[in-house]
Amino acid sequence: MIAQKIKKILVAGSLGCAVAALVPACSDWDDHYEGTQTGTSLSLWEQMQQRQELTDFCKVLEQTKVFRMHKKTAVSYAQLLQGGQSFTVVAPVNGTFNRDSLLSLVQTNQGDSIVEKFFVLNHISRSTSSLKDVDQRMLLLNSKHVTLNSGAIEGVTAREANIHAKNGVLHIVERPLPYEYNLYESLCDIPELSAIGSYLRQYDEDYFDADASVSSGIVEGVPVYVDSVVIERNRMLQRIGLINAEDSTYWMVVPTTQGWQRAWEQATKYFVYDETVLKRDSIQQYWTNRALLDDAVFNLTDQHSTRDSLVSVPWLNWRRSWVSGKPVYHVFQQPFAAGGILYGAEAVSCSNGVLYKVDEWPFNPLTTYFTELWAEGESTWLVTNEKDCTYNARRQVADSISENAYLQIVPRTTTSNWNLTFRINNTLSGDYDICAVLLPKAVSNQNNPDLRPCKFKATLNYVDEQGQPQEYDFDNVQFQNDPEHVDTLVLAESFHFPACNYDQSDIKVSLTLRCNILARETARFAREMYLDCIYLRPRTSKSE
């Protein structure tokens, strides 16, 4: 029964998921809309009152008040259906729902809003729709869509259809219309997924839409509005995917509470911020959850073939994520095959897509949040300090050159041992191989290239968990590149960053390259360097 379902929602604490429709007051609607003239003088409300089989439904409509901007008004739905705006009403007959439970709920503001959304608005549409021989779709006041055909509405048999009123159409059905949760509501209500739902609800907020509101001017420097429009939104869903929107189609893969907790404990160790970062614990929690959610939502509008591959939402829309100039391109091949992210998942149909339940978070950190970091040499804005050199970004299209560009570093004099420091963004508190990629001089002079290698030292600058600056000189090793090939020099293997610097504006991680050629070595080594990029390669333990 629908009332029992509403009680379950209330007990489960899913109030935050119920996005109340912004229903204008009765007088506002009468001002803006005209009734449908059908040749009958009876309103929808009057038509229902004449039907003995609809007395339970009428009683609920009389007791349920319209909510406007999350506040209960004095207008009941009985009054609304007596007014001038046109509606389609789908009325379930007596004895098919628990009237007394619904009437008990409407005695409180919270209960009233739940009955409104999950029951009353699930049976009313602003459009006027008659049942016809062809299938059609109708939008309900709670933003759900239902299918109509000649004899049923959303699979519920119509006892009597196309009853005209002066302000709309009435259909009498054998039982209440089913309420199908959207993805967000399912996350909030399914017990084994409640950990994720509870987290997402923290980001529900009311947003005042000044552009949609009607202003009456400015009084003492403060704008005054005669009609304020407040929209309920979720800031997190705006970043990972609008899974609460009824007009979009998404897939989402979600682990059970136990699987989510295990994945969360694994991910959170990569987002340990140093003690100088304000609200470090909150930021750690936020990015840990983002790490697990960013690749879990898939907008079907932008998928080419869901059997072949899935591309996560942050790459497909305006919320593209960039790390040191490189886009995070997350494509998951063969999602339903063994080893795929949806292999063995339980599909739960929702009003705006499909929720795939899994026991464990099915992703790998190396393909989601713990990814390669690149500081491209030609990204001169990453240079934080230089000494005794000039540098210029050069374009060169070649498969072996990252982003088809590099940095040419030239000493100021023939004997200058230069220094150049590069900022490295978005490091996590994990282990990385620190690499520098150098190009041969042949990329600019194939006929007579300089075949002398570069010789240099390096220093990594970072902070510890207390926020204190630290230096690592790579054991004072002198590095030399292969002058005839593109050479990836591994400066350090599995270097551990004790503190995360993800999404931080402060420069806390940088790498300094120092040319280290003695005067007597000038004939053997070249001080000019072609730097393709600085590259941090993540390393995880076998258990991950």
Side-chain angles (χ1 to χ4, degrees):
M1 304 288 278
I2 187 69
Q4 293 172 334
K5 193 172 188 179
I6 291 174
K7 278 189 173 182
K8 177 184 175 183
I9 292 167
L10 182 60
V11 172
S14 299
L15 288 173
C17 294
V19 182
L22 295 177
V23 183
C26 184
S27 60
D28 296 333
W29 285 19
D30 291 344
D31 291 340
H32 291 288
Y33 298 93
E34 296 181 357
T36 301
Q37 300 302 318
T38 61
T40 178
S41 61
L42 297 178
S43 68
L44 285 165
W45 176 245
E46 291 166 338
Q47 285 280 25
M48 286 187 288
Q49 282 190 307
Q50 291 189 347
R51 306 279 176 154
Q52 288 299 314
E53 70 271 31
L54 299 182
T55 56
D56 286 354
F57 188 60
C58 288
K59 190 68 173 178
V60 173
L61 294 178
E62 284 181 315
Q63 296 296 318
T64 305
K65 303 297 184 181
V66 175
F67 271 72
R68 181 175 172 84
M69 293 183 293
H70 314 301
K71 295 181 180 179
K72 183 186 287 191
T73 69
V75 179
S76 71
Y77 278 89
Q79 293 172 291
L80 200 62
L81 297 176
Q82 177 72 7
Q85 170 150 11
S86 300
F87 297 98
T88 294
V89 176
V90 181
V93 297
N94 294 346
T96 60
F97 57 91
N98 193 326
R99 183 197 67 176
D100 293 338
S101 293
L102 294 175
L103 294 178
S104 176
L105 277 173
V106 298
Q107 301 308 309
T108 66
N109 285 349
Q110 288 184 335
D112 195 313
S113 67
I114 291 174
V115 173
E116 180 190 48
K117 176 181 172 62
F118 288 89
F119 184 74
V120 174
L121 299 184
N122 203 51
H123 292 86
I124 304 175
S125 172
R126 287 181 186 174
S127 63
T128 53
S129 301
S130 298
L131 270 60
K132 303 175 183 178
D133 290 335
V134 295
D135 286 354
Q136 54 186 318
R137 297 275 284 172
M138 182 172 70
L139 176 65
L140 301 174
L141 285 183
N142 59 5
S143 299
K144 303 291 181 180
H145 289 86
V146 291
T147 301
L148 289 70
N149 55 38
S150 60
I153 301 172
E154 199 63 17
V156 179
T157 301
R159 177 177 293 189
E160 189 174 350
N162 302 336
I163 303 168
H164 292 289
K166 67 179 182 180
N167 63 336
V169 180
L170 171 66
H171 306 296
I172 300 175
V173 291
E174 293 288 351
R175 55 184 172 83
L177 298 182
Y179 184 95
E180 188 174 18
Y181 285 3
N182 61 35
L183 288 163
Y184 183 39
E185 292 167 339
S186 296
L187 285 176
C188 294
D189 192 65
I190 297 176
E192 61 266 35
L193 306 179
S194 60
I196 303 173
S198 298
Y199 166 73
L200 290 176
R201 283 202 302 272
Q202 298 175 32
Y203 293 90
D204 283 340
E205 65 178 11
D206 290 337
Y207 168 71
F208 172 65
D209 190 340
D211 293 334
S213 301
V214 179
S215 174
S216 64
I218 298 177
V219 178
E220 297 181 353
V222 179
V224 177
Y225 296 89
V226 294
D227 187 11
S228 301
V229 176
V230 177
I231 300 172
E232 196 169 281
R233 68 181 184 183
N234 184 290
R235 289 179 289 117
M236 180 61 74
L237 300 188
Q238 290 179 314
R239 290 164 174 79
I240 68 171
L242 299 177
I243 58 173
N244 58 346
E246 298 288 347
D247 58 353
S248 300
T249 304
Y250 291 96
W251 283 3
M252 185 174 185
V253 54
V254 183
T256 61
T257 296
Q258 292 78 16
W260 170 268
Q261 188 61 36
R262 283 188 286 269
W264 201 94
E265 290 172 357
Q266 177 189 30
T268 194
K269 67 183 182 181
Y270 290 101
F271 294 94
V272 178
Y273 288 82
D274 71 74
E275 293 178 359
T276 66
V277 177
L278 295 176
K279 299 181 179 180
R280 61 193 292 255
D281 293 339
S282 297
I283 297 174
Q284 180 183 18
Q285 182 191 57
Y286 174 82
W287 284 116
T288 298
N289 285 287
R290 282 287 302 272
L292 301 183
L293 290 170
D294 274 0
D295 291 296
V297 179
F298 306 91
N299 189 332
L300 291 201
T301 303
D302 300 304
Q303 308 297 329
H304 295 295
S305 174
T306 56
R307 286 285 166 184
D308 294 333
S309 65
L310 289 172
V311 182
S312 53
V313 162
W315 169 250
L316 292 171
N317 54 30
W318 62 269
R319 291 183 298 279
R320 292 183 181 182
S321 178
W322 291 77
V323 177
S324 301
K326 279 186 173 289
V328 177
Y329 191 94
H330 293 166
V331 180
F332 304 96
Q333 304 292 343
Q334 301 294 316
F336 292 98
I341 61 172
L342 300 182
Y343 179 69
E346 176 187 348
V348 178
S349 178
C350 299
S351 62
N352 61 346
V354 181
L355 184 70
Y356 287 94
K357 291 199 306 180
V358 293
D359 291 330
E360 301 293 338
W361 191 68
F363 302 96
N364 186 323
L366 295 177
T367 60
T368 52
Y369 58 86
F370 191 35
T371 54
E372 300 169 348
L373 301 180
W374 298 74
E376 292 292 337
E378 68 275 8
S379 301
T380 54
W381 59 88
L382 296 176
V383 176
T384 61
N385 190 39
E386 57 84 16
K387 180 181 179 183
D388 292 335
C389 68
T390 59
Y391 53 90
N392 301 284
R394 302 294 188 192
R395 292 282 301 171
Q396 183 68 46
V397 179
D399 291 340
S400 58
I401 300 177
S402 174
E403 300 297 310
N404 295 318
Y406 63 94
L407 190 73
Q408 179 189 27
I409 306 171
V410 181
R412 292 194 183 277
T413 70
T414 57
T415 59
S416 294
N417 278 335
W418 49 265
N419 290 359
L420 202 63
T421 301
F422 289 86
R423 172 178 182 163
I424 301 174
N425 295 324
N426 296 309
T427 51
L428 302 187
S429 49
D431 296 347
Y432 294 89
D433 293 341
I434 314 296
C435 308
V437 182
L438 274 60
L439 302 178
K441 303 296 178 10
V443 299
S444 65
N445 184 354
Q446 296 183 5
N447 296 325
N448 188 27
D450 185 349
L451 296 180
R452 293 176 299 167
C454 299
K455 187 165 72 113
F456 65 96
K457 291 185 177 183
T459 300
L460 183 67
N461 311 287
Y462 64 100
V463 298
D464 59 22
E465 199 167 343
Q466 287 70 46
Q468 296 301 310
Q470 304 292 325
E471 288 187 353
Y472 176 56
D473 66 359
F474 301 95
D475 298 324
N476 205 32
V477 172
Q478 298 191 89
F479 299 99
Q480 299 180 29
N481 71 305
D482 181 344
E484 299 185 38
H485 302 91
V486 176
D487 194 5
T488 298
L489 298 173
V490 180
L491 310 183
E493 292 184 347
S494 297
F495 179 84
H496 180 73
F497 286 95
C500 168
N501 197 42
Y502 191 82
D503 195 49
Q504 298 292 294
S505 58
D506 293 348
I507 302 174
K508 293 187 176 180
V509 180
S510 62
L511 182 68
T512 299
L513 304 181
R514 305 190 313 277
C515 181
N516 187 48
I517 301 173
L518 301 176
R520 65 175 182 270
E521 296 177 316
T522 300
R524 293 177 51 205
F525 298 101
R527 287 180 171 84
E528 183 181 15
M529 176 186 288
Y530 288 1
L531 178 66
D532 189 8
C533 62
I534 295 166
Y535 164 48
L536 272 61
R537 182 169 56 209
R539 299 284 294 269
T540 62
S541 63
K542 291 183 179 180
S543 62
E544 297 177 301

